Amino acid sequence: MKHFLYYASLLVVAFFLSSCGYNSLQTKEETVFKAWSDIESTLQRRADLIPNLVATVKGYAQHEQETLQKVIEARAKASSIQMSPADLSNPAAMQHLQESQSELSSALSRLMVVVEKYPDLKANQGFLDLQNQLEGTENRINVARQRYNETVEAFNGSIRKFPESLTNKFLLHLDKKEYFKAEEGAKVVPKVSF
């Protein structure tokens, strides 16, 4: 009878350990880190393309130096911000990154307005290729942000659900991750006039 109770208690402990979520929580956190790396990769791709775009535009629009300088400065600022996986739980760090990326997007938008003023530049095949690459990169960034937020949603939900919440509280102590949020003015519909 003693052996039966011993083995039965081992079986019960094994059952609870297998369903406590210890491994699944860590796997979900790694998925968040991977999704964040995908965002960083696409942001780096954009940062790498910008010098080529600026050099091409410079050749055609020397007198638009101020706009080009703002793009260069915004790229440098956005590229200088480094986020570690530990920062994904820090709202201030995430906000700082999003602000710098927003400044870069704004500078790129101003650059595209400059391009509209110069028909010769728009006809340049090198510029058109770079513009397509940059547009594709912006789409990739958006998709990477969405995927990141999906993984954050799954992770944050897991650390709040039973029994994983107990595993996290007593064993892992994992922090809630921050979502990648829209910019403040993103809800305002832009006005287009011809």
Side-chain angles (χ1 to χ4, degrees), residues 57-66 68:
V57 173
K58 261 186 185 177
Y60 280 89
Q62 285 293 333
H63 55 284
E64 293 292 345
Q65 191 64 32
E66 180 184 338
L68 296 171

Side-chain angles (χ1 to χ4, degrees), residues 70 74 77 98-108 110:
K70 286 184 180 181
K77 183 178 179 184
Q98 287 181 226
E99 287 171 0
S100 68
Q101 291 299 323
S102 176
E103 286 178 32
L104 180 55
S105 295
S106 177
L108 286 171
R110 287 190 298 274

Side-chain angles (χ1 to χ4, degrees), residues 32 35-36 39 83 87-99 144-160 175-183:
V32 170
W36 180 252
I39 288 177
M83 294 234 344
D87 292 331
L88 297 180
S89 297
N90 182 342
M94 185 66 85
Q95 180 66 28
H96 185 60
L97 173 79
Q98 287 181 226
E99 287 171 0
R145 287 175 181 162
Q146 290 171 349
R147 289 182 182 155
Y148 170 77
N149 283 344
E150 288 169 5
T151 62
V152 167
E153 178 184 30
F155 175 78
N156 288 347
S158 291
I159 63 173
R160 296 177 66 198
D175 293 324
K176 176 185 165 201
K177 305 301 181 215
E178 290 295 317
Y179 288 99
F180 209 106
K181 298 176 184 131
E183 302 165 17

Side-chain angles (χ1 to χ4, degrees), residues 16-193:
F16 280 113
L17 287 178
S18 69
S19 64
C20 71
Y22 184 86
N23 290 331
S24 67
L25 283 176
Q26 293 184 69
T27 301
K28 288 176 183 172
E29 185 177 43
E30 285 302 316
T31 304
V32 170
F33 294 155
K34 189 233 177 256
W36 180 252
S37 294
D38 291 345
I39 288 177
E40 288 182 322
S41 175
T42 53
L43 292 176
Q44 182 62 50
R45 184 176 193 275
R46 175 170 69 175
D48 292 344
L49 282 172
I50 289 172
N52 296 326
L53 179 66
V54 169
T56 304
V57 173
K58 261 186 185 177
Y60 280 89
Q62 285 293 333
H63 55 284
E64 293 292 345
Q65 191 64 32
E66 180 184 338
T67 302
L68 296 171
Q69 191 60 37
K70 286 184 180 181
V71 171
I72 292 167
E73 289 169 2
R75 176 194 177 265
K77 183 178 179 184
S79 299
S80 70
I81 296 175
Q82 300 297 317
M83 294 234 344
S84 69
D87 292 331
L88 297 180
S89 297
N90 182 342
M94 185 66 85
Q95 180 66 28
H96 185 60
L97 173 79
Q98 287 181 226
E99 287 171 0
S100 68
Q101 291 299 323
S102 176
E103 286 178 32
L104 180 55
S105 295
S106 177
L108 286 171
S109 296
R110 287 190 298 274
L111 180 61
M112 292 305 154
V113 169
V114 168
V115 169
E116 292 299 319
K117 294 180 183 178
Y118 300 100
D120 291 341
L121 179 58
K122 289 189 292 185
N124 178 289
Q125 188 60 44
F127 175 78
L128 292 175
D129 291 343
L130 284 170
Q131 188 176 18
N132 287 336
Q133 289 287 329
L134 200 54
E135 181 182 347
T137 300
E138 294 298 322
N139 289 336
R140 288 178 185 168
I141 290 170
N142 187 46
V143 168
R145 287 175 181 162
Q146 290 171 349
R147 289 182 182 155
Y148 170 77
N149 283 344
E150 288 169 5
T151 62
V152 167
E153 178 184 30
F155 175 78
N156 288 347
S158 291
I159 63 173
R160 296 177 66 198
K161 287 188 230 171
F162 182 82
E164 286 113 337
S165 60
L166 294 176
T167 303
N168 189 48
K169 183 176 182 179
F170 295 113
L171 296 175
L172 296 172
H173 311 291
L174 301 174
D175 293 324
K176 176 185 165 201
K177 305 301 181 215
E178 290 295 317
Y179 288 99
F180 209 106
K181 298 176 184 131
E183 302 165 17
E184 277 300 314
K187 294 178 183 175
V188 178
V189 178
K191 293 182 180 178
V192 179
S193 61

